[in-house]
Each structure stands twice: as C-alpha cells, then as structure tokens.
Amino acid sequence: KGDFIVEVHPAWAPRGAARFRELVEAGFYNENRFFRVVPGFMVQFGLNGDPGVQSKWRNSDFPDDPVAKSNTPGMVTFATAGPNSRTTQIFINYGNNAFLDEQGFSPFGVVTSGMDVVKAINSEYGERPDQSLIQTRGNAYLNSGFPKLDFVKTATLIPSEPATTEPAPTSEQQTPPSET
C-alpha cells in the first residue's frame, strides 16, 4: 500500500523500544503479514512467515514497561498474553484505545508518516487467521487461506535528525547520524 514511518521513543517504553530495534535489525518483520485487522480498533502483525525463525522467538518473553503514553490513534504497542509475556507481535492503534492502558499495553512508538497507508491495510479477513497455524506453518498457511493479506515488505531503521541547535556542519565537520 505504501510506506509508513514509526518514530520510536525509548523514554516511553525502554524495553519495548529495545526489542523492536532488535527485531528490525534482525530482519524479523520483513515479509510479515498483517494478520489481524479490526477497523476502528487496530492492525496487528509480528509473526514471522518462516516457522523456523518464529520458533526461535516464540518463547522470548520480555518484561513489561510501565505505561507512560496512552493507546491513542497511531500509537505502536507490543501485544501481550498477560503480564510480562511480550515477544514479537505489535499493533498500531486505529482508534482511541485508552482502555488498553489499564491492562498494561505500553506504547513505544507512534506512526508519524503514512497513517493513511496503515488505515488502508486490507481488513477483509478480520481476525480469522489462526495465530497458532501462522506460527507453525507461516506464510504458506497465510498465502493459501488468506491470499489478499497486506504485508511488511521490509522494516528498516532510519537515522534520526541530530538534536542540535548549532549551525549545520560544514564539509570539514561531519555529525554522525543517530538512530531512535
């Protein structure tokens, strides 16, 4: 459908931000299907299409972060199955889902560009794809039963702009890019 940019804020959820970065750097999200799309609520992805890759991360739970920001439209949050059970699945809020805050869902980032792309993700399958079958059969299962699912082609880190009020560097002094 197009590109969208997630701006990650480690101050909001340091563990979530670190896990997201780790997964992006590992190429984990490449070719991931948006397997759960509930208009007005959220879109979810984060199960790798290769069952071998997915199995390496399936039990890699990491501790929760305190909720510092609310689950409002565009906020990006790890899914959980209960306390301290986050692994790889994330969702992007379509609506004002502040009720998730009390349940411990801590946003680590926000879509800053391309929310129109996120809202255009195919929702015709709703919540029908079976997550356990995605984990064991991967994209083969999704491609055969849900061929019109949209997916992440490639997730990459983009260097952030340097946080400075100094004049732009000259060709003699280069400021290395930083990443968020």
Side-chain angles (χ1 to χ4, degrees):
K1 303 278 185 214
D3 295 334
F4 64 91
I5 295 174
V6 174
E7 184 175 280
V8 176
H9 292 267
W12 297 353
R15 293 179 189 114
R19 173 58 63 92
F20 182 71
R21 181 186 185 106
E22 177 184 17
L23 291 165
V24 170
E25 287 177 337
F28 181 86
Y29 291 118
N30 299 346
E31 300 294 321
N32 272 213
R33 300 321 191 243
F34 294 100
F35 63 84
R36 184 175 179 217
V37 186
V38 183
F41 179 45
M42 60 92 219
V43 56
Q44 186 171 336
F45 65 103
L47 292 174
N48 194 279
D50 178 338
V53 172
Q54 183 60 40
S55 69
K56 294 175 186 174
W57 291 92
R58 187 172 186 158
N59 296 314
S60 63
D61 298 355
F62 67 101
D64 292 337
D65 287 300
V67 178
K69 293 289 181 179
S70 187
N71 284 278
T72 54
M75 295 300 246
V76 184
T77 308
F78 272 92
T80 72
N84 300 309
S85 65
R86 301 180 296 169
T87 57
T88 61
Q89 295 184 51
I90 60 177
F91 62 93
I92 302 169
N93 289 281
Y94 282 148
N96 183 353
N97 300 321
F99 70 93
L100 295 173
D101 303 349
E102 296 173 11
Q103 297 174 38
F105 290 91
S106 53
F108 65 87
V110 60
V111 175
T112 58
S113 174
M115 194 62 190
D116 57 328
V117 172
V118 175
K119 288 180 179 177
I121 292 171
N122 185 359
S123 65
E124 75 178 271
Y125 303 117
E127 301 181 74
R128 290 197 340 242
D130 183 301
Q131 291 185 37
S132 63
L133 290 176
I134 299 170
Q135 293 194 46
T136 58
R137 295 185 46 218
N139 284 345
Y141 160 71
L142 292 172
N143 291 339
S144 66
F146 308 94
K148 296 179 184 175
L149 285 177
D150 289 318
F151 60 96
V152 175
K153 287 185 179 181
T154 307
T156 58
L157 296 176
I158 301 171
S160 65
E161 296 297 320
T164 180
T165 56
E166 298 174 15
T170 65
S171 60
E172 296 170 4
Q173 64 180 132
Q174 296 295 316
T175 304
S178 63
E179 297 178 347
T180 56

